[in-house]
Amino acid sequence: MLTPLPADPQPLREFFDEANYTHEQFRRNPTLRDLPSRRLGNLPVLLERTSQPTALHTLIRWFFLGLPLETKSYEGLVPPAIVSFLTGCGMLVRDGDRLSPTVMLTPCDGFLFAADPASRLESPEASDMVLWPNPSTRLLQMFTMRRPAQAMLDLGAGCGIQGILAAAHSRQVVATDLNPRATQFAAFNAWLNGVRNVECLTGDTFEPVTGRAFDLITANPPFFVTPSSDQMYCENSMELDDYCRRLVGEAPRHLVDNGYLQMTFEWVQVRGQAWQDRLAGWLENTGCDGWVLRSYAREAASYAEERIGRMMPWSKESAATRFDEWMAYYRARQVEEVHGGLLALRRREGRNWVRIEEVASLDLTEPFGDAVLELFASQDVLETDRSREQMLRWKPKLPPEARLEQQLHVAGGEWVPAAAKLVRPMGLPASLALEPDVADFLKNCDGSRTLYELSQQLAGRLKIDPEHVQEQCCAVVRKLVERRLLLVLPTENGA
Ligand SMILES: C[S@@+](CC[C@H](N)C(=O)[O-])C[C@H]1O[C@@H](n2cnc3c(N)ncnc32)[C@H](O)[C@@H]1O
């Protein structure tokens, strides 16, 4: 049983840090790429790679590989004070001459997160498993906006990572989970990381926060689209994607004005509908503006194969039976594809907008929470300023990280410019092919001049009808703002 101790765990964190049990190490070290798995049969190689007696290898064997260690293998490498800290709070338990880990520890951006060891996934106790930070955790983490919040809700907190990371920019965080083991882990991890403004509550969805409203809600819910509901960390008891729909429907009541819900999710595409159709229905009349970014799509059979492989990596026979059940479930409900991505909702009075789009790939090495706020601000402007007169008052600005990628080809023995592309790399990437004239025009978009001034200048230089230039400039700038390649701020009236 994990128990936060009265003592400050800072010496423990420092020891892990000095031993190099860090995020950077996990990113670089090939030993830490694959968890030990019966299917991969990779334990012997992992043991070989951690055979040198070092503090790091000891910590990896305990808290990544989940192995018990005899006294002689950790003595002299892990100081007795650290061992008694680890046993005192329950991360290690004594078993004769051996110390066995009860948790897996994942370093993430300077924090350490305890979760269930991987071996639990292959045991009959997998159903209330508390998962370690994984790719969907990272996706939500990178997507989350980091503006200051009074109150933040981490719904379906698991080991508490989203709430604990948000605690740095929130006055108060509430971390909730249906699984009481998860809220225990979240409270433990808050203590382990010296974070004090996290309240952990157990209960279904919004039930633990009835009557409360938040500036920010994040959720990485159990969104797998499956016919079963036994694995709480990834499945839910509702039909298809109804649980995610329920979150979208209920969240607005728990958001303050200008408060955001940000979540990872999946939804289905059924026969006769486009992938966007179902979402449009979810986002109607929520009292919120909504943005969905689809980042993947799988045909039903590939989805089932991939997900089952991840949920039950150890058993080929039961995986085959499951596959048949899943496909029968999809067929009966006419599910052709499963789509996944990100959703942001912002509560706002007035006429709301919805934007549904897709992205080819997301770079999870860079946070892109700021891009979310920027997108909402730009979309507000696009919605309100539709006439040419309004748009001419915009002061467009090229984002500082935008790059023009120019290709050259050989003509007449010389390299001459061919295609050009405006690119916004990192985080939430964007790009668009540009004509040379447009690229030239964009040089001057530094946020100091109105589109009217910029188009007059261009018309003068090219000696063509200013009306025509204005029309062209408005169309191009609007498209670039829609694609997140130009920024516009709301204009003051009459500016
Ligand atoms: C995919 S995990 C996300 C954990 C963590 N937030 C993260 O980002 O890694 C989903 C979490 O939702 C919890 N959960 C499942 N059903 C729930 C419900 N009805 N209400 C609240 N939490 C739920 C699970 O126990 C699990 O911890």
Side-chain angles (χ1 to χ4, degrees), residues 129 131-134 136-137 140 154-162 176-179 182 203-205 220-222 232-236 243 246:
M129 166 106 198
L131 219 55
W132 52 91
N134 55 72
S136 73
T137 312
L140 182 58
D154 174 9
L155 194 149
C159 70
I161 179 166
Q162 310 294 349
T176 63
D177 205 289
L178 182 62
N179 180 356
D204 180 15
T205 315
N220 175 17
M232 220 191 302
Y233 58 91
C234 62
E235 295 182 309
N236 63 77
Y243 184 67
R246 175 180 164 199

PDB file of all heavy atoms in Angstrom, residues 129 131-134 136-137 140 154-162 176-179 182 203-205 220-222 232-236 243 246, ligand 1:
ATOM      1  N   MET A 129      -6.197  -1.548 -13.255  1.00  0.00           N
ATOM      2  CA  MET A 129      -4.814  -1.130 -13.479  1.00  0.00           C
ATOM      3  C   MET A 129      -4.709   0.399 -13.547  1.00  0.00           C
ATOM      4  O   MET A 129      -5.548   1.061 -14.147  1.00  0.00           O
ATOM      5  CB  MET A 129      -4.461  -1.750 -14.829  1.00  0.00           C
ATOM      6  CG  MET A 129      -3.274  -1.291 -15.506  1.00  0.00           C
ATOM      7  SD  MET A 129      -2.099  -2.637 -15.312  1.00  0.00           S
ATOM      8  CE  MET A 129      -0.602  -1.783 -15.653  1.00  0.00           C
ATOM      9  N   LEU A 131      -2.415   3.056 -15.190  1.00  0.00           N
ATOM     10  CA  LEU A 131      -1.409   3.024 -16.252  1.00  0.00           C
ATOM     11  C   LEU A 131      -0.325   4.097 -16.060  1.00  0.00           C
ATOM     12  O   LEU A 131      -0.598   5.178 -15.554  1.00  0.00           O
ATOM     13  CB  LEU A 131      -2.129   3.262 -17.577  1.00  0.00           C
ATOM     14  CG  LEU A 131      -1.679   2.458 -18.779  1.00  0.00           C
ATOM     15  CD1 LEU A 131      -1.731   0.964 -18.498  1.00  0.00           C
ATOM     16  CD2 LEU A 131      -2.541   2.790 -19.982  1.00  0.00           C
ATOM     17  N   TRP A 132       0.856   3.790 -16.504  1.00  0.00           N
ATOM     18  CA  TRP A 132       1.976   4.733 -16.500  1.00  0.00           C
ATOM     19  C   TRP A 132       1.769   5.748 -17.641  1.00  0.00           C
ATOM     20  O   TRP A 132       0.995   5.482 -18.569  1.00  0.00           O
ATOM     21  CB  TRP A 132       3.298   3.975 -16.694  1.00  0.00           C
ATOM     22  CG  TRP A 132       3.262   3.064 -17.884  1.00  0.00           C
ATOM     23  CD1 TRP A 132       3.614   3.347 -19.161  1.00  0.00           C
ATOM     24  CD2 TRP A 132       2.782   1.702 -17.894  1.00  0.00           C
ATOM     25  NE1 TRP A 132       3.397   2.260 -19.973  1.00  0.00           N
ATOM     26  CE2 TRP A 132       2.887   1.235 -19.229  1.00  0.00           C
ATOM     27  CE3 TRP A 132       2.272   0.838 -16.922  1.00  0.00           C
ATOM     28  CZ2 TRP A 132       2.503  -0.055 -19.600  1.00  0.00           C
ATOM     29  CZ3 TRP A 132       1.896  -0.447 -17.300  1.00  0.00           C
ATOM     30  CH2 TRP A 132       2.020  -0.870 -18.622  1.00  0.00           C
ATOM     31  N   PRO A 133       2.499   6.882 -17.590  1.00  0.00           N
ATOM     32  CA  PRO A 133       2.384   7.849 -18.685  1.00  0.00           C
ATOM     33  C   PRO A 133       2.724   7.185 -20.021  1.00  0.00           C
ATOM     34  O   PRO A 133       3.752   6.519 -20.130  1.00  0.00           O
ATOM     35  CB  PRO A 133       3.412   8.930 -18.319  1.00  0.00           C
ATOM     36  CG  PRO A 133       3.535   8.819 -16.829  1.00  0.00           C
ATOM     37  CD  PRO A 133       3.376   7.356 -16.511  1.00  0.00           C
ATOM     38  N   ASN A 134       1.862   7.333 -21.003  1.00  0.00           N
ATOM     39  CA  ASN A 134       2.009   6.633 -22.284  1.00  0.00           C
ATOM     40  C   ASN A 134       1.780   7.640 -23.420  1.00  0.00           C
ATOM     41  O   ASN A 134       1.562   8.822 -23.153  1.00  0.00           O
ATOM     42  CB  ASN A 134       1.019   5.451 -22.316  1.00  0.00           C
ATOM     43  CG  ASN A 134      -0.389   5.931 -22.052  1.00  0.00           C
ATOM     44  OD1 ASN A 134      -1.003   6.562 -22.886  1.00  0.00           O
ATOM     45  ND2 ASN A 134      -0.885   5.679 -20.838  1.00  0.00           N
ATOM     46  N   SER A 136      -0.693   8.544 -25.281  1.00  0.00           N
ATOM     47  CA  SER A 136      -1.880   9.421 -25.263  1.00  0.00           C
ATOM     48  C   SER A 136      -1.793  10.421 -24.104  1.00  0.00           C
ATOM     49  O   SER A 136      -2.307  11.536 -24.181  1.00  0.00           O
ATOM     50  CB  SER A 136      -3.190   8.636 -25.258  1.00  0.00           C
ATOM     51  OG  SER A 136      -3.421   8.042 -24.015  1.00  0.00           O
ATOM     52  N   THR A 137      -1.092  10.027 -23.028  1.00  0.00           N
ATOM     53  CA  THR A 137      -0.830  10.962 -21.924  1.00  0.00           C
ATOM     54  C   THR A 137      -0.011  12.136 -22.461  1.00  0.00           C
ATOM     55  O   THR A 137      -0.288  13.304 -22.205  1.00  0.00           O
ATOM     56  CB  THR A 137       0.022  10.265 -20.833  1.00  0.00           C
ATOM     57  OG1 THR A 137      -0.536   9.003 -20.536  1.00  0.00           O
ATOM     58  CG2 THR A 137       0.148  11.111 -19.606  1.00  0.00           C
ATOM     59  N   LEU A 140      -1.950  14.565 -24.712  1.00  0.00           N
ATOM     60  CA  LEU A 140      -2.774  15.526 -23.965  1.00  0.00           C
ATOM     61  C   LEU A 140      -1.884  16.557 -23.258  1.00  0.00           C
ATOM     62  O   LEU A 140      -2.203  17.742 -23.220  1.00  0.00           O
ATOM     63  CB  LEU A 140      -3.666  14.785 -22.956  1.00  0.00           C
ATOM     64  CG  LEU A 140      -4.603  15.677 -22.139  1.00  0.00           C
ATOM     65  CD1 LEU A 140      -5.540  16.489 -23.034  1.00  0.00           C
ATOM     66  CD2 LEU A 140      -5.434  14.848 -21.152  1.00  0.00           C
ATOM     67  N   ASP A 154      -8.638  17.564 -13.548  1.00  0.00           N
ATOM     68  CA  ASP A 154      -8.012  16.467 -14.305  1.00  0.00           C
ATOM     69  C   ASP A 154      -8.970  15.288 -14.179  1.00  0.00           C
ATOM     70  O   ASP A 154      -9.003  14.605 -13.162  1.00  0.00           O
ATOM     71  CB  ASP A 154      -6.643  16.166 -13.678  1.00  0.00           C
ATOM     72  CG  ASP A 154      -5.963  14.948 -14.303  1.00  0.00           C
ATOM     73  OD1 ASP A 154      -6.461  14.439 -15.317  1.00  0.00           O
ATOM     74  OD2 ASP A 154      -4.925  14.519 -13.759  1.00  0.00           O
ATOM     75  N   LEU A 155      -9.791  15.093 -15.217  1.00  0.00           N
ATOM     76  CA  LEU A 155     -10.835  14.064 -15.160  1.00  0.00           C
ATOM     77  C   LEU A 155     -10.295  12.730 -15.683  1.00  0.00           C
ATOM     78  O   LEU A 155      -9.739  12.691 -16.774  1.00  0.00           O
ATOM     79  CB  LEU A 155     -12.037  14.522 -15.984  1.00  0.00           C
ATOM     80  CG  LEU A 155     -13.319  13.746 -15.783  1.00  0.00           C
ATOM     81  CD1 LEU A 155     -14.528  14.657 -15.994  1.00  0.00           C
ATOM     82  CD2 LEU A 155     -13.438  12.553 -16.701  1.00  0.00           C
ATOM     83  N   GLY A 156     -10.452  11.686 -14.900  1.00  0.00           N
ATOM     84  CA  GLY A 156      -9.870  10.395 -15.270  1.00  0.00           C
ATOM     85  C   GLY A 156      -8.363  10.489 -15.080  1.00  0.00           C
ATOM     86  O   GLY A 156      -7.576  10.235 -15.993  1.00  0.00           O
ATOM     87  N   ALA A 157      -7.975  10.863 -13.857  1.00  0.00           N
ATOM     88  CA  ALA A 157      -6.599  11.297 -13.592  1.00  0.00           C
ATOM     89  C   ALA A 157      -5.577  10.173 -13.705  1.00  0.00           C
ATOM     90  O   ALA A 157      -4.406  10.433 -13.946  1.00  0.00           O
ATOM     91  CB  ALA A 157      -6.529  11.933 -12.210  1.00  0.00           C
ATOM     92  N   GLY A 158      -5.988   8.922 -13.483  1.00  0.00           N
ATOM     93  CA  GLY A 158      -5.009   7.836 -13.494  1.00  0.00           C
ATOM     94  C   GLY A 158      -3.946   8.113 -12.450  1.00  0.00           C
ATOM     95  O   GLY A 158      -4.244   8.384 -11.284  1.00  0.00           O
ATOM     96  N   CYS A 159      -2.680   8.114 -12.853  1.00  0.00           N
ATOM     97  CA  CYS A 159      -1.606   8.370 -11.884  1.00  0.00           C
ATOM     98  C   CYS A 159      -1.496   9.851 -11.537  1.00  0.00           C
ATOM     99  O   CYS A 159      -0.620  10.240 -10.762  1.00  0.00           O
ATOM    100  CB  CYS A 159      -0.290   7.821 -12.409  1.00  0.00           C
ATOM    101  SG  CYS A 159       0.349   8.755 -13.807  1.00  0.00           S
ATOM    102  N   GLY A 160      -2.329  10.690 -12.116  1.00  0.00           N
ATOM    103  CA  GLY A 160      -2.404  12.097 -11.718  1.00  0.00           C
ATOM    104  C   GLY A 160      -1.529  13.026 -12.520  1.00  0.00           C
ATOM    105  O   GLY A 160      -1.408  14.213 -12.204  1.00  0.00           O
ATOM    106  N   ILE A 161      -0.942  12.521 -13.594  1.00  0.00           N
ATOM    107  CA  ILE A 161       0.078  13.317 -14.295  1.00  0.00           C
ATOM    108  C   ILE A 161      -0.436  14.656 -14.826  1.00  0.00           C
ATOM    109  O   ILE A 161       0.222  15.676 -14.661  1.00  0.00           O
ATOM    110  CB  ILE A 161       0.769  12.485 -15.417  1.00  0.00           C
ATOM    111  CG1 ILE A 161       1.802  13.346 -16.157  1.00  0.00           C
ATOM    112  CG2 ILE A 161      -0.194  11.840 -16.374  1.00  0.00           C
ATOM    113  CD1 ILE A 161       2.748  12.568 -17.035  1.00  0.00           C
ATOM    114  N   GLN A 162      -1.639  14.657 -15.433  1.00  0.00           N
ATOM    115  CA  GLN A 162      -2.109  15.918 -16.046  1.00  0.00           C
ATOM    116  C   GLN A 162      -2.333  16.970 -14.971  1.00  0.00           C
ATOM    117  O   GLN A 162      -1.943  18.133 -15.132  1.00  0.00           O
ATOM    118  CB  GLN A 162      -3.410  15.690 -16.849  1.00  0.00           C
ATOM    119  CG  GLN A 162      -3.374  14.539 -17.842  1.00  0.00           C
ATOM    120  CD  GLN A 162      -2.409  14.742 -19.010  1.00  0.00           C
ATOM    121  OE1 GLN A 162      -1.879  15.835 -19.222  1.00  0.00           O
ATOM    122  NE2 GLN A 162      -2.167  13.697 -19.783  1.00  0.00           N
ATOM    123  N   THR A 176      -9.769  13.613 -10.483  1.00  0.00           N
ATOM    124  CA  THR A 176     -10.828  12.640 -10.169  1.00  0.00           C
ATOM    125  C   THR A 176     -10.639  11.372 -10.989  1.00  0.00           C
ATOM    126  O   THR A 176     -10.111  11.412 -12.105  1.00  0.00           O
ATOM    127  CB  THR A 176     -12.227  13.203 -10.513  1.00  0.00           C
ATOM    128  OG1 THR A 176     -12.285  13.424 -11.925  1.00  0.00           O
ATOM    129  CG2 THR A 176     -12.510  14.490  -9.780  1.00  0.00           C
ATOM    130  N   ASP A 177     -11.128  10.273 -10.453  1.00  0.00           N
ATOM    131  CA  ASP A 177     -11.079   9.010 -11.202  1.00  0.00           C
ATOM    132  C   ASP A 177     -12.119   8.064 -10.616  1.00  0.00           C
ATOM    133  O   ASP A 177     -12.399   8.090  -9.421  1.00  0.00           O
ATOM    134  CB  ASP A 177      -9.689   8.369 -11.121  1.00  0.00           C
ATOM    135  CG  ASP A 177      -9.400   7.445 -12.301  1.00  0.00           C
ATOM    136  OD1 ASP A 177     -10.014   6.355 -12.367  1.00  0.00           O
ATOM    137  OD2 ASP A 177      -8.590   7.833 -13.170  1.00  0.00           O
ATOM    138  N   LEU A 178     -12.676   7.242 -11.479  1.00  0.00           N
ATOM    139  CA  LEU A 178     -13.634   6.229 -11.030  1.00  0.00           C
ATOM    140  C   LEU A 178     -12.926   5.149 -10.214  1.00  0.00           C
ATOM    141  O   LEU A 178     -13.509   4.522  -9.341  1.00  0.00           O
ATOM    142  CB  LEU A 178     -14.274   5.598 -12.282  1.00  0.00           C
ATOM    143  CG  LEU A 178     -15.341   4.546 -12.092  1.00  0.00           C
ATOM    144  CD1 LEU A 178     -16.555   5.124 -11.368  1.00  0.00           C
ATOM    145  CD2 LEU A 178     -15.792   3.979 -13.442  1.00  0.00           C
ATOM    146  N   ASN A 179     -11.670   4.955 -10.522  1.00  0.00           N
ATOM    147  CA  ASN A 179     -10.890   3.890  -9.903  1.00  0.00           C
ATOM    148  C   ASN A 179     -10.234   4.415  -8.615  1.00  0.00           C
ATOM    149  O   ASN A 179      -9.355   5.273  -8.687  1.00  0.00           O
ATOM    150  CB  ASN A 179      -9.822   3.434 -10.918  1.00  0.00           C
ATOM    151  CG  ASN A 179      -8.950   2.321 -10.399  1.00  0.00           C
ATOM    152  OD1 ASN A 179      -9.056   1.912  -9.250  1.00  0.00           O
ATOM    153  ND2 ASN A 179      -8.070   1.837 -11.265  1.00  0.00           N
ATOM    154  N   ALA A 182      -6.578   4.603  -8.593  1.00  0.00           N
ATOM    155  CA  ALA A 182      -5.980   5.716  -9.356  1.00  0.00           C
ATOM    156  C   ALA A 182      -5.896   6.962  -8.475  1.00  0.00           C
ATOM    157  O   ALA A 182      -4.857   7.639  -8.461  1.00  0.00           O
ATOM    158  CB  ALA A 182      -6.810   5.993 -10.607  1.00  0.00           C
ATOM    159  N   GLY A 203     -14.817   8.955  -8.097  1.00  0.00           N
ATOM    160  CA  GLY A 203     -16.220   8.935  -8.516  1.00  0.00           C
ATOM    161  C   GLY A 203     -16.339   8.943 -10.022  1.00  0.00           C
ATOM    162  O   GLY A 203     -15.349   9.116 -10.743  1.00  0.00           O
ATOM    163  N   ASP A 204     -17.573   8.778 -10.501  1.00  0.00           N
ATOM    164  CA  ASP A 204     -17.844   8.661 -11.927  1.00  0.00           C
ATOM    165  C   ASP A 204     -17.883  10.038 -12.611  1.00  0.00           C
ATOM    166  O   ASP A 204     -18.661  10.905 -12.220  1.00  0.00           O
ATOM    167  CB  ASP A 204     -19.189   7.933 -12.101  1.00  0.00           C
ATOM    168  CG  ASP A 204     -19.568   7.770 -13.560  1.00  0.00           C
ATOM    169  OD1 ASP A 204     -18.699   7.942 -14.440  1.00  0.00           O
ATOM    170  OD2 ASP A 204     -20.758   7.492 -13.828  1.00  0.00           O
ATOM    171  N   THR A 205     -17.073  10.207 -13.607  1.00  0.00           N
ATOM    172  CA  THR A 205     -17.085  11.382 -14.498  1.00  0.00           C
ATOM    173  C   THR A 205     -17.173  12.691 -13.685  1.00  0.00           C
ATOM    174  O   THR A 205     -16.258  12.966 -12.929  1.00  0.00           O
ATOM    175  CB  THR A 205     -18.213  11.215 -15.553  1.00  0.00           C
ATOM    176  OG1 THR A 205     -18.133   9.878 -16.041  1.00  0.00           O
ATOM    177  CG2 THR A 205     -18.058  12.141 -16.732  1.00  0.00           C
ATOM    178  N   ASN A 220      -8.183  12.501 -20.589  1.00  0.00           N
ATOM    179  CA  ASN A 220      -7.665  11.489 -21.510  1.00  0.00           C
ATOM    180  C   ASN A 220      -8.494  10.257 -21.141  1.00  0.00           C
ATOM    181  O   ASN A 220      -8.038   9.378 -20.437  1.00  0.00           O
ATOM    182  CB  ASN A 220      -6.163  11.311 -21.237  1.00  0.00           C
ATOM    183  CG  ASN A 220      -5.536  10.207 -22.051  1.00  0.00           C
ATOM    184  OD1 ASN A 220      -6.100   9.747 -23.049  1.00  0.00           O
ATOM    185  ND2 ASN A 220      -4.373   9.749 -21.618  1.00  0.00           N
ATOM    186  N   PRO A 221      -9.749  10.245 -21.571  1.00  0.00           N
ATOM    187  CA  PRO A 221     -10.713   9.291 -21.020  1.00  0.00           C
ATOM    188  C   PRO A 221     -10.506   7.866 -21.557  1.00  0.00           C
ATOM    189  O   PRO A 221      -9.721   7.661 -22.486  1.00  0.00           O
ATOM    190  CB  PRO A 221     -12.058   9.851 -21.496  1.00  0.00           C
ATOM    191  CG  PRO A 221     -11.734  10.610 -22.732  1.00  0.00           C
ATOM    192  CD  PRO A 221     -10.327  11.110 -22.604  1.00  0.00           C
ATOM    193  N   PRO A 222     -11.212   6.911 -20.986  1.00  0.00           N
ATOM    194  CA  PRO A 222     -11.117   5.526 -21.486  1.00  0.00           C
ATOM    195  C   PRO A 222     -11.909   5.436 -22.794  1.00  0.00           C
ATOM    196  O   PRO A 222     -13.068   5.050 -22.799  1.00  0.00           O
ATOM    197  CB  PRO A 222     -11.786   4.719 -20.363  1.00  0.00           C
ATOM    198  CG  PRO A 222     -12.711   5.679 -19.693  1.00  0.00           C
ATOM    199  CD  PRO A 222     -12.145   7.041 -19.853  1.00  0.00           C
ATOM    200  N   MET A 232     -10.738  -0.738 -17.024  1.00  0.00           N
ATOM    201  CA  MET A 232     -11.173   0.623 -16.691  1.00  0.00           C
ATOM    202  C   MET A 232     -10.252   1.704 -17.261  1.00  0.00           C
ATOM    203  O   MET A 232     -10.675   2.820 -17.521  1.00  0.00           O
ATOM    204  CB  MET A 232     -11.205   0.767 -15.167  1.00  0.00           C
ATOM    205  CG  MET A 232     -12.386   1.566 -14.662  1.00  0.00           C
ATOM    206  SD  MET A 232     -12.231   1.984 -12.916  1.00  0.00           S
ATOM    207  CE  MET A 232     -12.093   0.425 -12.139  1.00  0.00           C
ATOM    208  N   TYR A 233      -8.973   1.365 -17.445  1.00  0.00           N
ATOM    209  CA  TYR A 233      -8.031   2.389 -17.889  1.00  0.00           C
ATOM    210  C   TYR A 233      -8.231   2.776 -19.360  1.00  0.00           C
ATOM    211  O   TYR A 233      -7.756   3.810 -19.806  1.00  0.00           O
ATOM    212  CB  TYR A 233      -6.573   1.939 -17.667  1.00  0.00           C
ATOM    213  CG  TYR A 233      -6.229   0.653 -18.384  1.00  0.00           C
ATOM    214  CD1 TYR A 233      -5.709   0.674 -19.669  1.00  0.00           C
ATOM    215  CD2 TYR A 233      -6.465  -0.576 -17.790  1.00  0.00           C
ATOM    216  CE1 TYR A 233      -5.425  -0.499 -20.345  1.00  0.00           C
ATOM    217  CE2 TYR A 233      -6.176  -1.757 -18.458  1.00  0.00           C
ATOM    218  CZ  TYR A 233      -5.660  -1.713 -19.736  1.00  0.00           C
ATOM    219  OH  TYR A 233      -5.388  -2.878 -20.410  1.00  0.00           O
ATOM    220  N   CYS A 234      -8.944   1.911 -20.126  1.00  0.00           N
ATOM    221  CA  CYS A 234      -9.111   2.262 -21.535  1.00  0.00           C
ATOM    222  C   CYS A 234     -10.519   2.010 -22.075  1.00  0.00           C
ATOM    223  O   CYS A 234     -10.841   2.445 -23.171  1.00  0.00           O
ATOM    224  CB  CYS A 234      -8.086   1.518 -22.386  1.00  0.00           C
ATOM    225  SG  CYS A 234      -8.260  -0.262 -22.312  1.00  0.00           S
ATOM    226  N   GLU A 235     -11.361   1.304 -21.303  1.00  0.00           N
ATOM    227  CA  GLU A 235     -12.709   0.983 -21.794  1.00  0.00           C
ATOM    228  C   GLU A 235     -13.750   1.642 -20.895  1.00  0.00           C
ATOM    229  O   GLU A 235     -13.476   1.933 -19.728  1.00  0.00           O
ATOM    230  CB  GLU A 235     -12.941  -0.526 -21.766  1.00  0.00           C
ATOM    231  CG  GLU A 235     -12.057  -1.298 -22.719  1.00  0.00           C
ATOM    232  CD  GLU A 235     -12.367  -2.794 -22.692  1.00  0.00           C
ATOM    233  OE1 GLU A 235     -12.402  -3.386 -21.587  1.00  0.00           O
ATOM    234  OE2 GLU A 235     -12.587  -3.363 -23.756  1.00  0.00           O
ATOM    235  N   ASN A 236     -14.949   1.791 -21.431  1.00  0.00           N
ATOM    236  CA  ASN A 236     -16.047   2.314 -20.612  1.00  0.00           C
ATOM    237  C   ASN A 236     -17.291   1.496 -20.910  1.00  0.00           C
ATOM    238  O   ASN A 236     -17.310   0.720 -21.870  1.00  0.00           O
ATOM    239  CB  ASN A 236     -16.250   3.802 -20.896  1.00  0.00           C
ATOM    240  CG  ASN A 236     -16.664   4.040 -22.326  1.00  0.00           C
ATOM    241  OD1 ASN A 236     -17.809   3.821 -22.699  1.00  0.00           O
ATOM    242  ND2 ASN A 236     -15.709   4.448 -23.163  1.00  0.00           N
ATOM    243  N   TYR A 243     -19.367   7.469 -24.485  1.00  0.00           N
ATOM    244  CA  TYR A 243     -18.787   8.065 -23.273  1.00  0.00           C
ATOM    245  C   TYR A 243     -18.121   9.414 -23.607  1.00  0.00           C
ATOM    246  O   TYR A 243     -18.262  10.386 -22.865  1.00  0.00           O
ATOM    247  CB  TYR A 243     -17.797   7.105 -22.603  1.00  0.00           C
ATOM    248  CG  TYR A 243     -17.282   7.684 -21.293  1.00  0.00           C
ATOM    249  CD1 TYR A 243     -18.146   7.857 -20.211  1.00  0.00           C
ATOM    250  CD2 TYR A 243     -15.965   8.095 -21.157  1.00  0.00           C
ATOM    251  CE1 TYR A 243     -17.697   8.428 -19.016  1.00  0.00           C
ATOM    252  CE2 TYR A 243     -15.510   8.655 -19.968  1.00  0.00           C
ATOM    253  CZ  TYR A 243     -16.377   8.820 -18.898  1.00  0.00           C
ATOM    254  OH  TYR A 243     -15.945   9.383 -17.730  1.00  0.00           O
ATOM    255  N   ARG A 246     -20.718  11.905 -24.083  1.00  0.00           N
ATOM    256  CA  ARG A 246     -21.240  12.326 -22.779  1.00  0.00           C
ATOM    257  C   ARG A 246     -20.339  13.413 -22.162  1.00  0.00           C
ATOM    258  O   ARG A 246     -20.828  14.405 -21.619  1.00  0.00           O
ATOM    259  CB  ARG A 246     -21.306  11.097 -21.861  1.00  0.00           C
ATOM    260  CG  ARG A 246     -21.720  11.434 -20.459  1.00  0.00           C
ATOM    261  CD  ARG A 246     -21.770  10.199 -19.556  1.00  0.00           C
ATOM    262  NE  ARG A 246     -21.808  10.644 -18.180  1.00  0.00           N
ATOM    263  CZ  ARG A 246     -21.506   9.895 -17.136  1.00  0.00           C
ATOM    264  NH1 ARG A 246     -21.162   8.632 -17.296  1.00  0.00           N
ATOM    265  NH2 ARG A 246     -21.571  10.391 -15.926  1.00  0.00           N
TER     266      ARG A 246
HETATM  267  C1  LIG B   1      -6.466   6.569 -20.365  1.00  0.00           C
HETATM  268  S1  LIG B   1      -6.474   6.701 -18.616  1.00  0.00           S
HETATM  269  C2  LIG B   1      -5.838   8.355 -18.437  1.00  0.00           C
HETATM  270  C3  LIG B   1      -4.953   8.535 -17.246  1.00  0.00           C
HETATM  271  C4  LIG B   1      -4.200   9.862 -17.204  1.00  0.00           C
HETATM  272  N1  LIG B   1      -5.105  10.973 -17.098  1.00  0.00           N
HETATM  273  C5  LIG B   1      -3.307  10.032 -18.406  1.00  0.00           C
HETATM  274  O1  LIG B   1      -3.462  11.043 -19.129  1.00  0.00           O
HETATM  275  O2  LIG B   1      -2.448   9.177 -18.633  1.00  0.00           O
HETATM  276  C6  LIG B   1      -8.221   6.915 -18.286  1.00  0.00           C
HETATM  277  C7  LIG B   1      -8.554   7.064 -16.833  1.00  0.00           C
HETATM  278  O3  LIG B   1      -9.963   7.290 -16.707  1.00  0.00           O
HETATM  279  C8  LIG B   1     -10.454   6.569 -15.588  1.00  0.00           C
HETATM  280  N2  LIG B   1     -11.905   6.333 -15.752  1.00  0.00           N
HETATM  281  C9  LIG B   1     -12.513   5.318 -16.402  1.00  0.00           C
HETATM  282  N3  LIG B   1     -13.845   5.477 -16.354  1.00  0.00           N
HETATM  283  C10 LIG B   1     -14.082   6.616 -15.661  1.00  0.00           C
HETATM  284  C11 LIG B   1     -15.257   7.297 -15.272  1.00  0.00           C
HETATM  285  N4  LIG B   1     -16.458   6.835 -15.598  1.00  0.00           N
HETATM  286  N5  LIG B   1     -15.141   8.416 -14.534  1.00  0.00           N
HETATM  287  C12 LIG B   1     -13.912   8.887 -14.188  1.00  0.00           C
HETATM  288  N6  LIG B   1     -12.760   8.284 -14.536  1.00  0.00           N
HETATM  289  C13 LIG B   1     -12.833   7.173 -15.272  1.00  0.00           C
HETATM  290  C14 LIG B   1      -9.630   5.304 -15.584  1.00  0.00           C
HETATM  291  O4  LIG B   1      -9.639   4.686 -14.326  1.00  0.00           O
HETATM  292  C15 LIG B   1      -8.255   5.823 -16.006  1.00  0.00           C
HETATM  293  O5  LIG B   1      -7.482   6.177 -14.899  1.00  0.00           O
END
